[in-house]
Amino acid sequence: MRLLECKNGAFTLTKDIIDDIPQYAILSHTWGADTEEVSFRDLMDGRGKGKTGYRKIQFCGEQARHDSLQYFWVDTCCIDKSNSTELTEAINSMFCWYRNAAKCYVYLSDVPRDVPNIDNISYQLESAFRKSRWFTRGWTLQELIAPESVEFFSKYWEKLGNKASLGTIIHEITGIPDKALQGVPLSNFTVAERMSWAKQRETTRKEDQAYSLLGIFDVYMPLIYSEGKEHAFKRLREVINIHSRGLDLDILQRLPHAVDAPFNSYVKQNSSTCLPNTRVSILEEIYNWVDSKDERCIFWLNGLAGTGKSTIARTVARKYFEQKRLGASFFFSRGGGDVGHASKFFTSIAVQLASNVPSFRQYISEAAEEQIDIVNHSLHDQWHQLVLRPLSRLDKRLYPSSCLLIVDALDECDNENHIRTILQLLAEARSLTTVRLRIFLTSRPEIPIRHGICAIPQAEHQEFILHSIQPTVVNHDISVFLRVKLRFIRQKYQFQADWPGESAITSLVQSSDGLFIWAATACRFVEQGGQLAQGRLSLLLHETNGTIEPARKLEEIYTTVLTNSVRGEYDKEETLRLRELFRQVVGPIILSPEPLSVSNLVRILGKDVNALNRTLSNLHSVLYVPEAESGTVRLLHPSFRDFLLDPKRCSNPQFYIDKKVVHREMYMNCLRVMTLYLRRDICNLRRPGADISELSRSEVDKHIQPHVQYACRFWVYHYKRSDLGIDSYCNIEKFLRIHFLHWLEALALLGCASDAVVMIHMLDSGFLREGQLQKPTRLHSKLKSIFTFSVAPETETNLENSKERAQSSLQALIHDAVRFILAFRPVLEVAPLQIYSAGLIFSPNTSIVKMNFLDYIPHWVSYIPEVSKNWSSHLQTLKGHSGSVKAVAFSPDGKTLASASGDETVKLWDAGSGKPLLTFKGHLAPVEAVAFSPDGKTLASASGDGTIKLWDAGSGKPLQTLEGHSGWVEAVAFSPSGKTLASASDDRTLKLWDARSGKSLQTLKGHSAWVKAVAFSPDSKTLASASGDGTVKLWGAGPGKPLQTLKGHSAPVEAVAFSPSGKTLASASYDRTVKLWDAGSGKPLQTLRGHSARVEAVAFSPDGNTLASASGDGTVKLWDAGSGKPLQTLKGHSRSVEAVAFSPDGKTLASASDDRTVKLWDAGSGKPLQTLKGHSAWIEAVAFSPSGKTLASASNDKTVKLWDAGSGKPLQTLKGHSAWVKAVAFSPSGKTLASASGDETVKLWGAGSGKPLKTLKGHSAPVEAVAFSPDGKTLASASDDKTVRLWDAGSGKPLQTLKGHSRSVKAVAFSPSGKTLASASGDGTVKLWGAGSGKPILTFKGHSAPVKAVAFSPDGNTLASASGDGTVKLWGTWLRGPLQTLKATSVGYSLSFTDDGLSLLADHKLLPIGPFSGQAPPRPSSPQLILVEEEWVLQNGEKLLWLPSEYRPDRITIHGGIVGFGYSSGRVLVMEFTL
């Protein structure tokens, strides 16, 4: 490559450098007109200084020189583009060149000006940055990703920030994951992911859209600029496939799919197809439709139960499967597990399409790869992403002209809304032009399906009513069927040749009355009789009644079959036992949500396998009973289930099955099974931090047998559907008090941890519906007496009082269980055994779960820290968005939460469990706002792409896109009537829309800056808007006329909200205040102050008593809406909080943040938040005494506190500093404590007495650090005054002042001998000094950011320095030069060597040290026994204890097995681990 350098004021090019390329800077920019850019030839000829582009070269050279770089590179002039060979080599090397650059300068010619830092970017500047053309160009993708250091500059060459400081905004603009921006190898990202980053980017030459991705995929290919975009991408993909050995097709198998769905699945291997010469006309009609070019893409075969729909579907499927023209089939079956619902319908279709039609595979695989979590998306997104879009990419010249999709028994799907959605989506197959997708659909003529079919135009579907076929045709087919089946029986049992005779067949045909299921059941019944088959046939012929309707005929044969199954001489008691056994065995088979095997039935029911087999042996006519006990027992036809569950149809009470009774027994059996088998560490993981991923599914199944799995997953399902009431509460409470944690562990191991929340909520909602229990808010005051009752129940003479106490006790336990699951679900899903350690250690002291399972706290925790008394307001954190979360909204029923994000999506969550439900995609820019319609059926979203989208809130289907704004749409709101939709935009206007038709009604103008928020008054008459012009405007919502302008804020207004009464209006502003206004008169009522940054959002509680505000300071504040007094501050978000919303019942508050999470808070408990003893401000440092018995903490509250390290109890508070205390250090003897403060002093204290000994004055700026010499005689202090001072530690007299640093000194450390002192500075250097003489010895340079910490190795030969540049550097004091540079995720306040000197601890995270040049590799290092990394306490490198988010410290100190934690809240915690 050629590089530029400046010589004698002129720019010159170096020769083409191949090896030993020097450090250089590189420019990234968008090209202007070619005539205005300086070319290679211009430079060679000494021209180009008058061109606009010359200024860019000048800037790049000046900035490089500022960064101490002699050379730089600019693409316009460093490549000879007239040389095609050189151009090809350059384009293929470009990614590497950018990656190896020391600095990359991004020049944004369309971003006007600079600001000091990202927090102060004005709204206009951020908007300009987001809209910069640089982010839309193809080549700039690699220029953003490849370099480690990327700095952004404005039009006037002023620095805006870098890739790290602007990371969140860059991610939102580009959609590129943070990890990719931070330098994680691109091979960690799928091909589809990387392709998606370039999806919206453009290049001047179309082929460059492919060529600009060469570096992103680390591939090489020659350039052919005449080939066109499509061919270039084709070649690129071929090269990628060769390079990566093809796309990862395993992704398809990782898609969740229903294995029993296809027509030829293992469980359906005995299911029949139509016999030859039967169903001739209907099959011919279906075949003709499939093979024709008919525009009708759907064929609906509907018929009554038993008319043979599924047999026809299997026949059609078999024919086209053998012709390799069957795309996929899905045979629904209620109660059949995955084939009983729609959650895996489209994923199963996609997997089959990719398997059955190889030419589809690539496109479906890519689609699945692009959306790994597609199963959590809406049915609409699954259909479009996995089926419709991939099929639309086919080249119709190369691929099959038609493909058949078969959906059988759609009426068996358990959700009517999903049925309607499936029909709507399948009808979209008509839009495909690349392939004719034919959909053959069967069902009963149920109302949801009839309505769905009617919504499809007649010209686009075909119907066939199976039960309307001419009786003679049906009878002929049934007679053929009977002849074949009875001939088989005759041969099997060697009956006489003329058996059964024409008259018998005729009679049977008449009895069937057109129902194939009747004929099939009759044949199975006869065959099951064995040598008594003739008698059974006679029984059928004798009982035939030709005058009743078909449905009654079916009931008649079922009654005959069942009666015969218990035929014999039984007394009354025996008959009752048989009836009970039948109900106990058959009931679960027809009512279980998942098919059960014989062996599982035996174990769940607790029955003798022989008794169960005897019961089933006589039911082969109506049930599929496998030979192997591991096989599942299934209904042969759903009509049998309908018959047994309807007392009007099943007239014999001996066989009628009462659903509630069966569910009650199954619930009790599930409790029995779980009680018998569940235990702690059921899979023998042993290690407390063992990860679920270490276990294979087969290992889980070995330890948690299938019947135990069933019990864990479905006991609440059965309880909810049973006839049990109050009397069952004791059983539930007993189980939860003994096995709650065991049950959670088992569910987590089964991958069903999130189901635990849903199940516990189901129990809770059941109690509330019954209306028998106290409200949760009243229970809290009773917890103590409740718990006492549960441990030692009193003898109650009054039964009603006893029941009431039992009910209250159980509900208290359930509420506590919900909080426990929500708090510890993050670790439960990863390391389930942590619920016995982290769960019990960190749950509050009043937790019933904690009190019940105290004995389970592991023995290796010697001392349990002091934790909160009550559960905090924080309920759970919802993660899933890859960008800032901009808005949240609850559905009107409070069950669903919607969130809008900078990742261009909207997500729906289950508000109770936090489980993700749907993801809506379609916007092309960040989504700024969401709102539900008052009926909850429609969701509106507003986006930076200038549009509003309306979605079906149930299915996720897009309904309409409203266009009209010329800028970002910032807010959207439905009127209370639901008829009108209002939107607010950057274009300074509001728009009103008809919410049904989507028509624009009015445009409201008046604001002089962007409009950020909009809200309707409760009576729909008034509209409020908030603007960047610092005002709030009130408008007549009908005529759209301006009513009032409310002035008072001194900065842009971000949000407005009406109180539920409509009398008060709240506004939130950049001026850090919330204002309350009289909504009628517009008069200001109150100003609420307390936030330390701009206020982003406000919301009133449904009762109007509480106001919530969200702020850029990362907090949510709750205020008394009447008095304006602050009630609570909710902390937990790590970045700005963008939105808040109350649930309709006012009990839950949701907050959305730039930290990409949504948090749910308990807004209605009224619990005071406990303040643990500690500092009242941020903790700056913590340190143990040499003995480890005392812990010292330094705080911004100007104090130092001493703590007993064994008990964690505070000992003393040392007061005397007049500013924050930055550092503390104990003398080697442990008798003296030194503290460094922002008041420019160092204080010495008696560590035992806490008395002040000396105050050392001399520094002229805050003191950053202190350190004692190894002999304790000298004290060193480092200060912002750029000096290090040495003091006599005994007398406090100053000894020397060490000068040489050009910026503040951040840290000091003595060598083990005490002869050398090291200092670390903000000037990026480390200096060594003679500790006695104070003379400078060496200056180590190499860090590119302030150095924050230094440490000597135990032998004193190596010095480590930690810097804000993300590195730790090792320096050889004996070599007087650098040895090694280590990357560290976190470096700053703490740095030390392990005792063996072979590893470093940077902020207590282990960094192994590699061999230095010329040294032998070091022997393996024994890591420090206890470490803290991110959210884990580690022992010997293994995960030991998970730390909940609120217990993750800001400062850590470790002494052996004792760990001291310091927090920004001022809290200090101590934990001791037995090593």
Side-chain angles (χ1 to χ4, degrees):
M1 67 184 302
R2 298 187 189 87
L3 294 174
L4 281 164
E5 61 178 326
C6 184
K7 287 184 177 180
N8 301 320
F11 296 113
T12 61
L13 284 166
T14 67
K15 64 178 182 179
D16 195 1
I17 307 172
I18 306 299
D19 299 313
D20 299 324
I21 298 173
Q23 281 198 321
Y24 59 90
I26 199 163
L27 180 69
S28 174
H29 64 115
T30 54
W31 280 43
D34 284 348
T35 55
E36 289 302 317
E37 297 292 351
V38 179
S39 68
F40 172 78
R41 185 49 52 194
D42 287 335
L43 271 188
M44 297 302 292
D45 295 343
R47 303 191 311 261
K49 291 185 178 181
K51 293 186 175 184
T52 305
Y54 191 79
R55 183 68 188 97
K56 288 190 274 189
I57 298 175
Q58 285 181 309
F59 157 73
C60 192
E62 291 167 5
Q63 188 63 36
R65 187 169 59 254
H66 178 271
D67 291 329
S68 303
L69 296 169
Q70 180 179 349
Y71 300 98
F72 60 101
W73 188 91
V74 179
D75 58 352
T76 59
C77 57
C78 289
I79 305 171
D80 183 359
K81 297 178 181 63
S82 64
N83 184 328
S84 61
T85 302
E86 180 177 333
L87 179 61
T88 296
E89 182 181 347
I91 286 179
N92 278 278
S93 304
M94 198 83 71
F95 187 89
C96 182
W97 291 350
Y98 273 90
R99 183 180 59 203
N100 294 337
K103 293 276 186 178
C104 175
Y105 308 133
V106 177
Y107 173 58
L108 304 178
S109 60
D110 49 359
V111 176
R113 62 182 181 82
D114 174 45
V115 288
N117 58 64
I118 187 63
D119 287 334
N120 294 329
I121 285 185
S122 68
Y123 193 85
Q124 295 95 331
L125 179 57
E126 181 177 332
S127 179
F129 184 79
R130 288 180 180 274
K131 295 174 183 177
S132 175
R133 180 171 172 262
W134 187 86
F135 290 108
T136 70
R137 307 306 294 167
W139 289 107
T140 58
L141 174 62
Q142 64 180 3
E143 296 163 16
L144 171 64
I145 291 176
E148 181 177 351
S149 174
V150 180
E151 297 178 348
F152 292 86
F153 294 85
S154 74
K155 179 178 181 179
Y156 304 111
W157 313 103
E158 296 161 319
K159 188 174 178 181
L160 298 169
N162 56 42
K163 187 161 64 169
S165 66
L166 298 168
T168 298
I169 295 178
I170 293 171
H171 162 77
E172 291 176 0
I173 297 169
T174 64
I176 301 171
D178 280 343
K179 290 184 178 180
L181 294 172
Q182 292 162 3
V184 170
L186 295 183
S187 58
N188 289 9
F189 302 92
T190 65
V191 172
E193 277 183 289
R194 284 179 274 174
M195 284 288 188
S196 71
W197 304 341
K199 187 169 54 178
Q200 304 298 329
R201 292 175 177 263
E202 297 176 351
T203 55
T204 303
R205 302 187 72 166
K206 296 302 182 183
E207 294 90 347
D208 279 341
Q209 290 189 33
Y211 302 160
S212 63
L213 297 175
L214 294 175
I216 299 294
F217 293 102
D218 193 21
V219 296
Y220 173 92
M221 82 182 190
L223 312 184
I224 308 172
Y225 270 110
S226 59
E227 66 179 325
K229 173 184 170 182
E230 296 302 323
H231 196 270
F233 267 106
K234 183 179 179 182
R235 284 200 302 129
L236 174 63
R237 189 167 288 284
E238 289 171 354
V239 174
I240 292 170
N241 285 346
I242 294 170
H243 184 75
S244 61
R245 297 183 182 178
L247 294 171
D248 181 12
L249 299 184
D250 287 343
I251 189 71
L252 291 168
Q253 289 308 311
R254 293 201 296 271
L255 270 180
H257 59 281
V259 294
D260 293 341
F263 83 98
N264 56 351
S265 64
Y266 178 81
V267 297
K268 297 184 181 71
Q269 60 184 318
N270 295 318
S271 299
S272 62
T273 56
C274 297
L275 293 169
N277 299 318
T278 63
R279 300 301 203 184
V280 175
S281 59
I282 178 58
L283 287 173
E284 184 178 359
E285 186 168 340
I286 295 168
Y287 297 155
N288 288 338
W289 166 78
V290 174
D291 297 335
S292 72
K293 295 184 179 180
D294 196 319
E295 292 297 323
R296 294 174 294 181
C297 63
I298 292 179
F299 190 115
W300 179 36
L301 178 68
N302 77 82
L304 300 175
T307 52
K309 301 180 295 296
S310 294
T311 303
I312 292 173
R314 284 191 294 271
T315 305
V316 175
R318 172 59 63 185
K319 172 184 172 68
Y320 287 96
F321 176 76
E322 291 174 352
Q323 293 182 4
K324 299 189 182 303
R325 294 172 59 194
L326 177 67
S329 58
F330 197 104
F331 280 59
F332 280 100
S333 176
R334 184 168 295 147
D338 289 339
V339 293
H341 51 78
S343 65
K344 296 181 182 178
F345 176 70
F346 287 120
T347 55
S348 300
I349 296 297
V351 169
Q352 289 182 59
L353 278 170
S355 175
N356 294 341
V357 190
S359 52
F360 294 174
R361 188 176 301 152
Q362 174 185 339
Y363 300 107
I364 295 174
S365 176
E366 289 174 13
E369 187 182 29
E370 188 176 334
Q371 293 293 338
I372 298 297
D373 64 339
I374 189 67
V375 72
N376 294 324
H377 292 202
S378 66
L379 290 175
H380 173 273
D381 282 355
Q382 291 181 31
W383 163 250
H384 280 260
Q385 180 80 13
L386 294 177
V387 182
L388 207 60
R389 197 174 79 182
L391 295 186
S392 68
R393 296 176 59 194
L394 296 172
D395 186 336
K396 57 185 176 183
R397 298 170 299 177
L398 304 176
Y399 297 115
S401 60
S402 67
C403 182
L404 179 62
L405 171 61
I406 294 177
V407 182
D408 180 63
L410 182 58
D411 54 295
E412 288 282 291
C413 179
D414 65 0
N415 187 304
E416 289 187 1
N417 289 329
H418 291 167
I419 290 174
R420 281 191 285 266
T421 299
I422 287 172
L423 287 171
Q424 290 171 6
L425 296 174
L426 291 178
E428 294 177 4
R430 64 183 179 272
S431 66
L432 286 170
T433 58
T434 54
V435 63
R436 288 198 314 277
L437 186 61
R438 317 297 264 172
I439 298 155
F440 180 66
L441 173 71
T442 78
S443 75
R444 300 184 195 185
E446 305 290 355
I447 292 175
I449 298 179
R450 290 209 310 270
H451 286 176
I453 292 291
C454 287
I456 302 171
Q458 187 66 40
E460 295 173 3
H461 77 276
Q462 183 171 343
E463 294 181 37
F464 194 100
I465 302 172
L466 199 54
H467 51 271
S468 67
I469 297 177
Q470 286 292 327
T472 55
V473 176
V474 178
N475 288 343
H476 167 267
D477 292 345
I478 291 177
S479 70
V480 172
F481 174 83
L482 288 170
R483 290 177 197 280
V484 171
K485 293 298 181 182
L486 292 175
R487 184 190 309 124
F488 171 78
I489 295 171
R490 183 181 71 224
Q491 293 170 349
K492 181 177 180 180
Y493 297 115
Q494 298 180 352
F495 295 152
Q496 59 204 40
D498 61 348
W499 187 87
E502 283 298 320
S503 61
I505 291 176
T506 301
S507 181
L508 291 173
V509 169
Q510 291 175 348
S511 296
S512 70
D513 210 357
L515 297 178
F516 269 84
I517 187 59
W518 189 100
T521 304
C523 291
R524 285 192 294 267
F525 175 65
V526 171
E527 182 183 0
Q528 191 184 358
Q531 293 299 326
L532 301 177
Q534 292 172 313
R536 288 199 169 188
L537 178 60
S538 299
L539 180 64
L540 287 176
L541 295 172
H542 176 72
E543 293 186 356
T544 295
N545 184 339
T547 61
I548 60 177
E549 60 186 25
R552 295 291 298 161
K553 288 286 183 67
L554 203 52
E555 295 161 13
E556 185 182 78
I557 194 169
Y558 284 150
T559 301
T560 300
V561 170
L562 293 176
T563 302
N564 198 72
S565 70
V566 292
R567 191 180 295 279
E569 298 296 328
Y570 302 110
D571 59 28
K572 184 177 181 181
E573 185 177 338
E574 289 172 330
T575 301
L576 287 174
R577 281 206 302 271
L578 285 172
R579 172 187 173 186
E580 189 70 8
L581 186 61
F582 173 84
R583 182 182 49 73
Q584 290 175 347
V585 172
V586 177
I589 293 172
I590 66 173
L591 288 171
S592 293
E594 205 168 77
L596 291 166
S597 67
V598 175
S599 57
N600 285 343
L601 265 173
V602 167
R603 290 178 173 87
I604 292 172
L605 299 178
K607 298 293 181 185
D608 174 70
V609 67
N610 294 323
L612 188 137
N613 280 331
R614 281 195 298 272
T615 302
L616 295 177
S617 65
N618 292 319
L619 296 173
H620 285 257
S621 307
V622 286
L623 296 175
Y624 168 73
V625 183
E627 294 181 8
E629 290 185 8
S630 59
T632 56
V633 185
R634 303 191 317 276
L635 288 169
L636 288 173
H637 199 271
S639 59
F640 182 57
R641 176 184 58 228
D642 300 339
F643 165 74
L644 290 176
L645 297 177
D646 189 341
K648 295 179 180 177
R649 297 178 62 189
C650 184
S651 55
N652 187 336
Q654 182 174 351
F655 305 115
Y656 164 65
I657 292 178
D658 187 324
K659 287 191 286 189
K660 291 189 174 182
V661 173
V662 173
H663 283 302
R664 180 219 309 158
E665 292 175 349
M666 285 295 285
Y667 151 72
M668 296 300 291
N669 281 321
C670 287
L671 281 192
R672 176 184 54 78
V673 167
M674 290 189 293
T675 301
L676 188 61
Y677 289 97
L678 292 184
R679 61 177 177 83
R680 181 179 181 173
D681 194 9
I682 195 170
C683 287
N684 298 327
L685 292 171
R686 294 186 176 87
R687 292 176 292 108
D691 199 292
I692 276 181
S693 62
E694 298 173 15
L695 277 177
S696 66
R697 183 63 198 213
S698 60
E699 289 176 295
V700 173
D701 292 342
K702 174 183 173 184
H703 292 284
I704 310 177
Q705 296 180 14
H707 67 291
V708 184
Q709 295 183 23
Y710 181 94
C712 289
R713 292 171 56 209
F714 296 116
W715 70 275
V716 176
Y717 173 89
H718 289 297
Y719 172 76
K720 288 284 289 181
R721 289 159 177 78
S722 72
D723 57 0
L724 290 170
I726 298 172
D727 294 339
S728 65
Y729 294 169
C730 290
N731 287 330
I732 297 176
E733 181 168 359
K734 181 180 179 181
F735 169 74
L736 292 177
R737 288 191 181 276
I738 297 173
H739 294 293
F740 174 64
L741 294 187
H742 306 150
W743 174 59
L744 284 187
E745 178 196 340
L747 283 178
L749 290 165
L750 295 171
C752 302
S754 60
D755 293 344
V757 189
V758 177
M759 292 161 74
I760 291 293
H761 273 301
M762 284 173 65
L763 286 175
D764 193 23
S765 63
F767 300 147
L768 293 174
R769 190 179 63 251
E770 291 167 16
Q772 297 166 326
L773 301 185
Q774 303 293 325
K775 293 182 179 178
T777 52
R778 295 175 57 192
L779 281 170
H780 178 66
S781 61
K782 297 184 177 182
L783 283 179
K784 185 175 180 181
S785 62
I786 290 170
F787 181 72
T788 304
F789 163 75
S790 67
V791 175
E794 302 172 9
T795 302
E796 295 282 358
T797 55
N798 187 314
L799 184 60
E800 290 304 314
N801 289 341
S802 176
K803 286 182 178 180
E804 184 179 343
R805 295 190 67 180
Q807 296 160 24
S808 298
S809 177
L810 176 58
Q811 194 177 17
L813 173 58
I814 284 175
H815 278 294
D816 193 65
V818 168
R819 293 305 307 269
F820 187 93
I821 297 170
L822 294 177
F824 299 105
R825 191 176 74 178
V827 73
L828 175 65
E829 294 174 333
V830 177
L833 294 187
Q834 281 295 306
I835 57 173
Y836 303 106
S837 47
L840 295 176
I841 290 169
F842 295 112
S843 52
N845 293 327
T846 56
S847 164
I848 301 173
V849 172
K850 181 171 187 170
M851 297 294 287
N852 251 32
F853 292 93
L854 274 177
D855 293 342
Y856 281 69
I857 294 178
H859 62 85
W860 40 261
V861 183
S862 305
Y863 173 70
I864 300 173
E866 182 182 3
V867 296
S868 301
K869 182 180 179 181
N870 303 315
W871 289 106
S872 72
S873 294
H874 179 239
L875 295 173
Q876 57 181 320
T877 299
L878 313 183
K879 296 181 180 180
H881 283 296
S882 58
S884 300
V885 188
K886 301 290 189 179
V888 281
F890 281 96
S891 61
D893 62 7
K895 295 180 179 179
T896 306
L897 181 73
S899 58
S901 171
D903 63 12
E904 303 177 5
T905 70
V906 174
K907 286 184 179 288
L908 295 188
W909 314 78
D910 182 286
S913 69
K915 188 175 182 178
L917 302 175
L918 297 171
T919 300
F920 299 169
K921 295 185 175 183
H923 283 296
L924 303 177
V927 188
E928 296 291 315
V930 283
F932 281 96
S933 60
D935 62 7
K937 294 180 179 180
T938 305
L939 184 75
S941 59
S943 168
D945 63 12
T947 69
I948 299 119
K949 286 186 179 289
L950 301 181
W951 314 79
D952 183 295
S955 68
K957 181 181 179 180
L959 302 174
Q960 293 186 73
T961 298
L962 313 184
E963 298 178 349
H965 283 294
S966 59
W968 284 42
V969 188
E970 297 286 353
V972 65
F974 281 95
S975 64
S977 67
K979 295 179 180 179
T980 306
L981 185 73
S983 59
S985 171
D986 274 4
D987 64 9
R988 306 181 183 184
T989 71
L990 295 99
K991 283 185 179 288
L992 299 181
W993 314 77
D994 184 291
R996 289 187 180 178
S997 67
K999 290 182 179 179
S1000 176
L1001 302 175
Q1002 292 185 71
T1003 299
L1004 313 184
K1005 298 180 180 180
H1007 284 294
S1008 59
W1010 70 89
V1011 189
K1012 185 67 175 179
V1014 63
F1016 280 96
S1017 62
D1019 60 6
S1020 296
K1021 294 180 179 179
T1022 306
L1023 189 71
S1025 59
S1027 171
D1029 62 13
T1031 69
V1032 174
K1033 285 186 180 289
L1034 300 181
W1035 315 75
K1041 292 182 179 179
L1043 303 175
Q1044 294 186 71
T1045 299
L1046 313 183
K1047 298 180 179 180
H1049 284 294
S1050 59
V1053 188
E1054 287 287 288
V1056 284
F1058 281 96
S1059 65
S1061 68
K1063 295 180 179 179
T1064 306
L1065 183 74
S1067 59
S1069 170
Y1070 266 44
D1071 64 10
R1072 305 181 183 182
T1073 70
V1074 175
K1075 286 186 179 289
L1076 299 181
W1077 314 77
D1078 184 293
S1081 66
K1083 291 182 179 179
L1085 301 175
Q1086 294 186 71
T1087 299
L1088 313 183
R1089 293 183 170 90
H1091 284 295
S1092 59
R1094 62 182 181 265
V1095 189
E1096 298 280 1
V1098 283
F1100 282 95
S1101 61
D1103 62 8
N1105 293 331
T1106 306
L1107 182 73
S1109 59
S1111 170
D1113 62 14
T1115 70
V1116 174
K1117 286 186 179 288
L1118 299 181
W1119 314 78
D1120 183 292
S1123 67
K1125 291 182 179 179
L1127 301 174
Q1128 273 185 309
T1129 299
L1130 309 180
K1131 299 179 180 180
H1133 284 296
S1134 60
R1135 290 189 181 180
S1136 172
V1137 188
E1138 298 290 313
V1140 283
F1142 281 94
S1143 62
D1145 61 6
K1147 294 178 181 178
T1148 305
L1149 182 74
S1151 59
S1153 169
D1154 274 351
D1155 64 12
R1156 305 180 186 178
T1157 69
V1158 174
K1159 287 185 181 289
L1160 299 180
W1161 311 81
D1162 183 350
S1165 66
K1167 298 175 185 175
L1169 289 180
Q1170 180 187 9
T1171 301
L1172 298 179
K1173 296 177 181 178
H1175 291 284
S1176 59
W1178 183 284
I1179 291 179
E1180 291 287 350
V1182 282
F1184 277 107
S1185 63
S1187 67
K1189 293 182 179 180
T1190 306
L1191 178 72
S1193 58
S1195 170
N1196 276 0
D1197 67 4
K1198 308 176 186 179
T1199 70
V1200 175
K1201 285 185 179 285
L1202 299 180
W1203 311 78
D1204 183 288
S1207 66
K1209 293 181 179 178
L1211 299 174
Q1212 297 183 68
T1213 299
L1214 314 184
K1215 299 180 179 180
H1217 284 296
S1218 59
W1220 68 89
V1221 188
K1222 186 70 175 181
V1224 283
F1226 281 94
S1227 64
S1229 67
K1231 294 180 180 179
T1232 305
L1233 181 74
S1235 59
S1237 170
D1239 63 10
E1240 305 178 2
T1241 70
V1242 175
K1243 286 186 178 288
L1244 300 180
W1245 313 79
S1249 65
K1251 291 182 178 179
L1253 303 177
K1254 304 280 183 183
T1255 299
L1256 313 184
K1257 298 181 179 180
H1259 284 295
S1260 59
V1263 187
E1264 294 285 331
V1266 285
F1268 282 94
S1269 62
D1271 61 8
K1273 295 180 180 180
T1274 305
L1275 182 74
S1277 59
S1279 169
D1280 285 349
D1281 64 9
K1282 308 177 187 178
T1283 70
V1284 175
R1285 286 183 177 268
L1286 298 181
W1287 314 80
D1288 183 293
S1291 65
K1293 292 182 178 179
L1295 301 176
Q1296 295 186 70
T1297 300
L1298 314 183
K1299 298 180 179 180
H1301 284 296
S1302 60
R1303 291 189 182 181
S1304 62
V1305 189
K1306 299 293 184 181
V1308 284
F1310 282 94
S1311 65
S1313 67
K1315 296 179 180 180
T1316 306
L1317 181 74
S1319 60
S1321 170
D1323 62 13
T1325 69
V1326 176
K1327 288 183 178 290
L1328 294 185
W1329 313 80
S1333 65
K1335 292 182 178 179
I1337 299 171
L1338 277 174
T1339 298
F1340 295 139
K1341 297 180 179 180
H1343 285 295
S1344 59
V1347 187
K1348 299 180 179 181
V1350 284
F1352 281 94
S1353 61
D1355 61 7
N1357 290 332
T1358 307
L1359 181 73
S1361 58
S1363 167
D1365 62 12
T1367 67
V1368 174
K1369 288 186 179 290
L1370 299 177
W1371 314 87
T1373 57
W1374 82 100
L1375 291 174
R1376 301 195 171 211
L1379 299 171
Q1380 197 174 353
T1381 298
L1382 307 174
K1383 290 281 186 181
T1385 55
S1386 173
V1387 288
Y1389 66 88
S1390 168
L1391 187 68
S1392 63
F1393 281 84
T1394 54
D1395 292 340
D1396 59 12
L1398 298 177
S1399 295
L1400 272 170
L1401 294 171
D1403 292 353
H1404 299 282
K1405 296 174 179 65
L1406 196 68
L1407 290 177
I1409 300 172
F1412 306 138
S1413 176
Q1415 287 186 331
R1419 53 189 169 80
S1421 172
S1422 300
Q1424 182 168 321
L1425 288 174
I1426 296 294
L1427 297 172
V1428 180
E1429 288 193 7
E1430 304 299 337
E1431 66 228 37
W1432 285 96
V1433 176
L1434 307 179
Q1435 181 178 24
N1436 292 329
E1438 288 200 355
K1439 294 175 179 177
L1440 183 67
L1441 181 70
W1442 180 75
L1443 301 173
S1445 58
E1446 62 269 33
Y1447 288 97
R1448 290 169 200 165
D1450 300 287
R1451 294 291 184 267
I1452 308 164
T1453 185
I1454 300 172
H1455 186 282
I1458 308 174
V1459 184
F1461 300 108
Y1463 298 88
S1464 59
S1465 64
R1467 180 171 48 173
V1468 173
L1469 290 182
V1470 179
M1471 289 191 74
E1472 184 174 1
F1473 301 91
T1474 303
L1475 305 178

